[in-house]
Amino acid sequence: MAVIVFAENWNGKFKKLSFELVSYGSKVAGMLNTSNVVLSIGDVENEELNKLGDYGADKIIKIQHEKLKNLDNKAYTSVIAQVAEKEGASVLLLSHNNTGKALAPRLSVKLKAGLGSALIQLPASVEPFTVCKKVFSGKAFAYITIKSDIKILTLMQNSFESVLSQNNATIESFSPELDEGISKTEVTDVQKQTGKIILTDAEIIVSGGRGMRSTDNWGPLEELAELLGAATACSRPVSDEEWRPHSEHVGQTGKIIAPNLYIACGISGAIQHLAGVSSSKYIVAINEDNEAPIFEAADYGIVGDVHKVLPELIKIIKEFKSEN
Amino acid sequence: MKVIVCLGNVPDTTTKIKFVDDNKAFDTIGVQWIINPWDELALTRAMELKEDSRNTVDTVTVITVGLKEVEPTIRKALAIGADDAIRIDADPKDAYCVAFQLAEVLKKEDFGIVFSGIESSDYNSAAVGGMLAEFLDLPSVSAVSSLQMDESAVNLTRDIDGGREVISIQTPFVAIVQKGIAIEPRIPAMRGIMMARKKPLNVVEPAEQEVLTGFSSFELPKSKPPCKMINPENLKELVDLLQNEANVL
């Protein structure tokens, strides 16, 4: 028996979400009285792998393979399933990011393992194995019981605090078997977003809506984001009007985010928008209309013209930063 | 080439969510049902592919798992332009059940691309497309925000953390799509609505299967404390709250 955590890397490095996953895996392993085995695929230095031990990995399995340079869903599924079988996995844990969403469902079928996805907290119980997730785009929670021998879980980013544990994890290599021709996808181009904080990784997000009035008014919003080390985002009408790129759209059909702080500037807070941001730990809303629904979701509200409030807020945060 | 679009039947986004039977079941009374928003975008792109004469797409088939009450949603998809529809007559229990039933039928179909929305707006599992691909032993590409066909291959753009990749792939495959594949969903025209009544809607019996997960109960979120209003003349108070109460600065 073991809990297997798939820890994705980005150019050989792990991120905060990797450590959250490993810590979560360690807690689940504790509940099941078993060990926490972390799987890494790709070229990662041992020094970086050892960090996984710091967050509760008991053993690290590393796989390096020519055919696994890019994410091919079939090839990765085959490899992760081989590790799960070899280690006698009882739980397989992935992030609920794009990679996890691509692989966990395939693994569920391959291993005949029930899937509990987009989890936001530890399993409610392990006997029966019951997990809690948000449903109806954040309007309710569901408790789901998984009956299969192997359980596959995906964890929402920024929903579980990573915990330092100073484990001395062993590292072992594994050579998977990969059929000739298993990979049918070819990556022909990669466009990396440079220099900006990735929206789904950001701890603070400053977001603008229709109240920003035009594409020319985003200077103060971007300045505030830079001051706070935040990413920028927008509501759907803004990306539909092409004031901002579609990659910044947060909401039901855009990105689902869970930062520590979400600052909504000139966003009325339609239900579709709230579906994407309601997992934020704190929401600040700035809006002219004191009856805007965003104030029902917000923790702190300011009724006022965003074009006047933002420059003032920038001034005060600058003062705060210089004093601290 | 035939393109398949998997449809989910979900409550309208503005539905007030309530539960019955001691919080063990979703209360469907008074609920308006719609095509799952991501599946609707997939259908929109499928129609564009068919209408573009440079492509070889000649048929768009929609498929869903559901009891008879989902038929208005299927008719809407036919009104948008799908050529025919398949309804597998089962009450879907979870994503695994849906994907299994879809696969049992699609194994017998000849198609080039299967579209599945990245998630459904009801149970948000983001699972059906990937599960279906594995049942069919086909390649899948997830988080697809663009799909273009040329003579030799299909080119997909997929979102990765912090960027995008362009993927070249041969049919058949499963495309798990998100916003960007189309921006605005198509709205049925009156002529489409009239024609939809005459289009074939084939009802198929479900296959036997094992169930791996079950909903044990539902819960509504606890009501949050009311929003603290801050005077725009006194933004220091906001900074103070963010620092000392929220601990986020």
Side-chain angles (χ1 to χ4, degrees):
Chain A
M1 269 213 343
V3 170
I4 312 274
V5 178
F6 172 58
E8 185 182 358
N9 72 81
W10 291 264
N11 299 318
K13 298 286 177 218
F14 296 114
K15 292 204 282 204
K16 185 168 158 270
L17 81 89
S18 325
F19 305 130
E20 291 167 3
L21 265 188
V22 173
S23 293
Y24 186 97
S26 172
K27 287 273 189 237
V28 176
M31 291 167 84
L32 293 167
N33 213 357
T34 182
S35 58
N36 187 31
V37 178
V38 182
L39 167 63
S40 164
I41 300 176
D43 299 331
V44 184
E45 301 286 338
N46 281 0
E47 191 190 338
E48 186 72 9
L49 289 172
N50 280 328
K51 289 186 188 165
L52 302 172
D54 297 343
Y55 290 93
D58 297 312
K59 178 166 90 174
I60 295 155
I61 297 178
K62 68 168 178 182
I63 296 176
Q64 287 164 300
H65 199 292
E66 200 47 42
K67 288 204 188 94
L68 301 172
K69 291 273 182 221
N70 290 307
L71 175 67
D72 178 273
N73 294 340
K74 268 186 92 172
Y76 267 63
T77 298
S78 165
V79 165
I80 297 172
Q82 286 172 45
V83 172
E85 278 164 4
K86 178 176 93 76
E87 296 292 321
S90 46
V91 170
L92 183 53
L93 177 65
L94 299 94
S95 173
H96 196 69
N97 66 353
N98 282 334
T99 306
K101 284 190 244 182
L103 298 176
R106 293 201 74 125
L107 285 159
S108 165
V109 171
K110 182 125 193 143
L111 296 167
K112 227 178 172 196
L115 173 65
S117 65
L119 305 186
I120 46 166
Q121 60 194 53
L122 284 170
S125 74
V126 290
E127 196 57 55
F129 200 94
T130 306
V131 293
C132 178
K133 76 183 294 270
K134 285 195 177 185
V135 290
F136 297 104
S137 302
K139 286 192 273 186
F141 298 96
Y143 287 88
I144 295 166
T145 300
I146 306 176
K147 298 159 189 163
S148 50
D149 292 341
I150 306 177
K151 287 94 181 159
I152 299 186
L153 311 179
T154 64
L155 179 66
M156 291 289 282
Q157 225 167 308
N158 208 32
S159 59
F160 189 79
E161 241 2 273
S162 59
V163 193
L164 277 169
S165 81
Q166 307 300 349
N167 274 21
N168 237 335
T170 54
I171 300 176
E172 62 182 57
S173 294
F174 175 67
S175 302
E177 284 174 30
L178 275 169
D179 293 340
E180 209 45 53
I182 187 169
S183 167
K184 296 273 197 294
T185 59
E186 186 195 346
V187 175
T188 55
D189 190 22
V190 182
Q191 298 149 11
K192 286 256 163 78
Q193 178 188 325
T194 48
K196 285 181 77 184
I197 296 165
I198 297 169
L199 199 47
T200 44
D201 288 347
E203 296 192 11
I204 302 180
I205 293 172
V206 186
S207 185
R210 216 195 279 272
M212 297 299 291
R213 289 198 211 111
S214 100
T215 187
D216 305 322
N217 296 335
W218 292 73
L221 192 149
E222 286 184 325
E223 189 182 348
L224 178 63
E226 187 163 342
L227 256 181
L228 295 170
T232 53
C234 69
S235 67
R236 178 175 159 171
V238 167
S239 67
D240 283 359
E241 295 282 345
E242 297 189 350
W243 295 353
R244 301 293 290 181
H246 285 285
S247 57
E248 286 199 359
H249 166 202
V250 293
Q252 189 184 31
T253 49
K255 292 203 168 63
I256 310 285
I257 50 164
N260 294 337
L261 175 62
Y262 182 70
I263 304 178
C265 307
I267 293 176
S268 64
I271 200 150
Q272 290 87 344
H273 186 75
L274 297 180
V277 307
S278 63
S279 295
S280 308
K281 298 205 172 70
Y282 285 90
I283 297 178
V284 172
I286 306 167
N287 203 297
E288 258 180 341
D289 175 7
N290 65 354
E291 289 184 13
I294 189 77
F295 289 117
E296 282 164 43
D299 300 277
Y300 309 122
I302 299 159
V303 177
D305 179 355
V306 69
H307 303 284
K308 295 194 181 116
V309 174
L310 274 179
E312 189 61 26
L313 187 57
I314 289 167
K315 204 178 101 199
I316 286 174
I317 290 185
K318 275 186 180 159
E319 284 167 18
F320 168 79
K321 292 260 170 191
S322 66
E323 285 162 20
N324 286 274
Chain B
M1 181 202 289
K2 184 187 273 196
V3 169
I4 308 274
V5 181
C6 305
L7 293 184
N9 179 58
V10 297
D12 181 80
T13 314
T14 55
T15 305
K16 186 157 171 53
I17 302 297
K18 296 182 303 246
F19 300 100
V20 288
D21 190 15
D22 198 19
N23 280 335
K24 286 191 167 50
F26 172 54
D27 184 359
T28 57
I29 290 172
V31 171
Q32 292 283 330
W33 298 89
I34 58 168
I35 303 175
N36 179 40
W38 292 271
D39 302 342
E40 201 176 22
L41 294 173
L43 176 60
T44 302
R45 184 68 190 133
M47 294 318 305
E48 290 166 1
L49 291 173
K50 185 186 161 185
E51 288 155 12
D52 186 339
S53 57
R54 291 170 298 176
N55 296 324
T56 54
V57 175
D58 54 18
T59 313
V60 174
T61 298
V62 291
I63 183 167
T64 194
V65 180
L67 301 176
K68 193 162 173 53
E69 61 254 27
V70 308
E71 288 194 359
T73 300
I74 302 175
R75 289 286 172 204
K76 186 181 172 196
L78 292 170
I80 288 170
D83 296 287
D84 55 8
I86 303 168
R87 176 172 73 81
I88 304 167
D89 191 30
D91 188 16
K93 298 290 178 218
D94 64 7
Y96 191 90
C97 295
V98 170
F100 174 83
Q101 298 295 350
L102 293 174
E104 286 298 301
V105 173
L106 293 180
K107 270 175 193 165
K108 296 168 229 153
E109 295 275 331
D110 182 25
F111 57 81
I113 303 170
V114 180
F115 278 110
S116 177
I118 193 159
E119 67 176 71
S120 67
S121 60
D122 49 5
Y123 298 112
N124 310 103
S125 289
V128 170
M131 287 176 169
L132 174 61
E134 189 66 29
F135 275 125
L136 294 171
D137 195 26
L138 286 179
S140 59
V141 181
S142 190
V144 171
S145 59
S146 147
L147 182 150
Q148 307 290 337
M149 300 173 89
D150 65 28
E151 277 160 27
S152 58
V154 181
N155 294 306
L156 307 170
T157 304
R158 95 170 145 202
D159 282 17
I160 52 172
D161 283 6
R164 294 183 216 184
E165 287 176 340
V166 180
I167 311 270
S168 172
I169 191 169
Q170 304 290 328
T171 58
F173 66 90
V174 178
I176 301 159
V177 304
Q178 61 179 30
K179 196 180 170 197
I181 192 76
I183 302 296
E184 285 286 340
R186 239 178 232 203
I187 296 163
M190 187 44 83
R191 186 178 139 77
I193 295 168
M194 302 300 285
M195 281 167 69
R197 292 185 195 159
K198 296 194 186 98
K199 286 180 178 171
L201 194 170
N202 304 303
V203 180
V204 181
E205 284 302 309
E208 285 277 326
Q209 74 167 130
E210 204 183 324
V211 178
L212 304 181
T213 69
F215 287 102
S216 51
S217 65
F218 294 95
E219 202 174 274
L220 292 171
K222 292 183 185 69
S223 57
K224 59 177 282 303
C227 183
K228 279 188 189 162
M229 299 312 284
I230 291 150
N231 186 332
E233 305 295 322
N234 185 18
L235 293 175
K236 274 208 171 69
E237 189 191 346
L238 175 67
V239 173
D240 184 55
L241 286 166
L242 291 176
Q243 187 195 10
N244 299 313
E245 189 178 82
N247 293 315
V248 289
L249 284 188

